[in-house]
Amino acid sequence: MLNNTYSEEIKLVAKPGEIPFAKGLEGVPVGESTKSFVDGLGGKLVYHGHPIEELCEKSTYEEVFYLLLNDQLPKESELRDLTRLMRSYREIPGDIYDLISKQAPRYGVHPMSVLRTAVSALASYDETTEEDSPSEQRRQGIRIVSKIATITAAIARARQGKPILSPRPDLTHAGNFYYMLTGNTPDNFYARLMDVLLILHADHECNASTFSMVVVRSTLSDLYSCVVAGIGALKGPLHGGANEEVMRMLQAIGSLDNVEKFLDDAMSQRLRISGFGHRVYKTMDPRAAILREHAREVTRRAGTEHWLETAERIEKIMAEKYGQRGIWPNVDFFSGVVMASMGIEPPMFTPMFAVGRSAGWVSHIIEQGNDNRIFRPRFIYVGPEDESYQPIRDRK
Ligand code: SDX
């Protein structure tokens, strides 16, 4: 843990490794928040005190978004107002559909890159972007959460060469997202499953993408700039990009008989098994447990039980051989099996994560701005000192 040495003016000049520091800010609190708490040892996650298991069972994404934004569950009239507002914000400008139609099908362009570009472009169509009042920021946040689903669905359809579908006001946020993604009006099962997916991804305390956003907010930059920064962070395979890697791993393993050798080879080469491990959870990620249960029915309906069987074999062997090292399944491990079984292609898994996490992102950005201090940590300087300038003609 850092001590107050760092708060005194000390000369942060040393030889490499001489002064200790928290690499990756491991274990370092960087602020206070009421949005969510991750109990890494107990394997629990609460959104403003509400256990994730109960929210998945009883709540909806709109209600969870209200909870994260306002630190309380909504009354009926408040939920109705938010739902109505989100529906009114779902549509996106034609220019952004055009941008998506041009960029999404391009070879080698990752959907997260198109999502990042499209959200950035959204700012040019929101005349309040530079307005910093709390009320305007809340509306911008609700717009972003509402539109990021439409953008993501449009990217998925454009990638597949299918017609982009306009939002439907008669469906819930999750139901409409499922419809725009697949072209099918969801039955209760799929509408509920999408709601659970979005709720499970809605927030997770100070993860890398949320942290990157609050750093941008701490300079008092605008909400769109914050969200674009976070999308960039989420794209990485150590963070949100892991769910896509998990499906690649399941496909690479192929049959159940290959699982143990695949894992032993990877672990002996000190490779990272995607979907496993976590900076905070040192036991099973509660979201992975919930997704594993939902995976049973969706894989049965899709005839993709083999994905779940392979995933559970991986889980079993990892627990037996490496569980004592605190390497357990995280949210990304079973989410890929669920999304693939819903007919979603792996490159779209991380944008799906972004659609859910957008609620937590905007809530933390606004919370940070309410009690702001610019983030400005230090590097320990381990470079040379007092170098003299050598004319170029004398440099060897
Ligand atoms: C998400 O922060 C969040 O809350 C993120 C998230 C959210 O909701 O926002 O929960 C979403 O990003 C989940 C994580 C998705 N990423 C992956 O599944 C990628 C694989 N996981 C690892 O890269 C890793 O576990 C991290 C990145 C998730 C955590 O990295 P840490 O905390 O820096 O841990 P580490 O890499 O320093 O590993 C510590 C030890 C190492 O052993 P030693 O070298 O010290 O002997 O654990 C081992 C690692 O080798 N280890 C793994 C492993 N994860 C950690 N070994 C094999 N496979 C793994 N996946």
Side-chain angles (χ1 to χ4, degrees), residues 3-24:
N3 56 36
N4 64 8
T5 310
Y6 295 91
S7 59
E8 294 144 21
E9 195 41 55
I10 59 170
K11 215 163 171 288
L12 284 176
V13 179
K15 291 188 180 47
E18 209 165 50
I19 298 180
F21 62 94
K23 199 164 179 61

Side-chain angles (χ1 to χ4, degrees), residues 26 38 200-201 203-210 234 237-243 246 267 270-282 285 287 318 325-327 330-332 353 357:
E26 178 158 9
V38 179
L200 280 173
H201 286 89
D203 196 38
H204 212 243
E205 198 205 86
C206 195
N207 58 86
S209 51
T210 299
L234 187 73
L238 292 188
H239 188 13
N243 49 26
V246 169
M267 294 302 281
R270 300 174 70 76
L271 300 176
R272 294 288 188 274
I273 310 294
S274 288
F276 276 81
H278 199 276
R279 175 63 59 77
V280 180
Y281 290 121
K282 297 311 169 195
D285 181 333
R287 302 167 296 175
M318 286 296 288
R325 288 176 48 190
I327 306 166
N330 60 50
V331 65
D332 289 313
F353 191 140
R357 187 52 56 86

Side-chain angles (χ1 to χ4, degrees), residues 135-149:
S135 58
E136 276 306 342
Q137 275 224 329
R138 282 169 55 84
R139 293 180 78 87
Q140 291 162 13
I142 295 167
R143 274 191 209 108
I144 288 174
V145 171
S146 307
K147 295 177 189 304
I148 206 167

Side-chain angles (χ1 to χ4, degrees), residues 192-253:
R192 189 70 209 130
L193 181 58
M194 184 60 87
D195 232 343
V196 167
L197 260 181
L198 297 182
I199 290 170
L200 280 173
H201 286 89
D203 196 38
H204 212 243
E205 198 205 86
C206 195
N207 58 86
S209 51
T210 299
F211 179 56
S212 55
M213 290 187 182
V214 296
V215 170
V216 173
R217 181 58 192 148
S218 78
T219 71
L220 299 186
S221 187
D222 67 282
L223 204 80
Y224 289 91
S225 297
C226 299
V227 175
V228 169
I231 291 172
L234 187 73
K235 181 170 182 283
L238 292 188
H239 188 13
N243 49 26
E244 182 181 350
E245 295 303 317
V246 169
M247 275 322 283
R248 283 213 180 91
M249 175 173 68
L250 296 180
Q251 287 158 345
I253 289 173

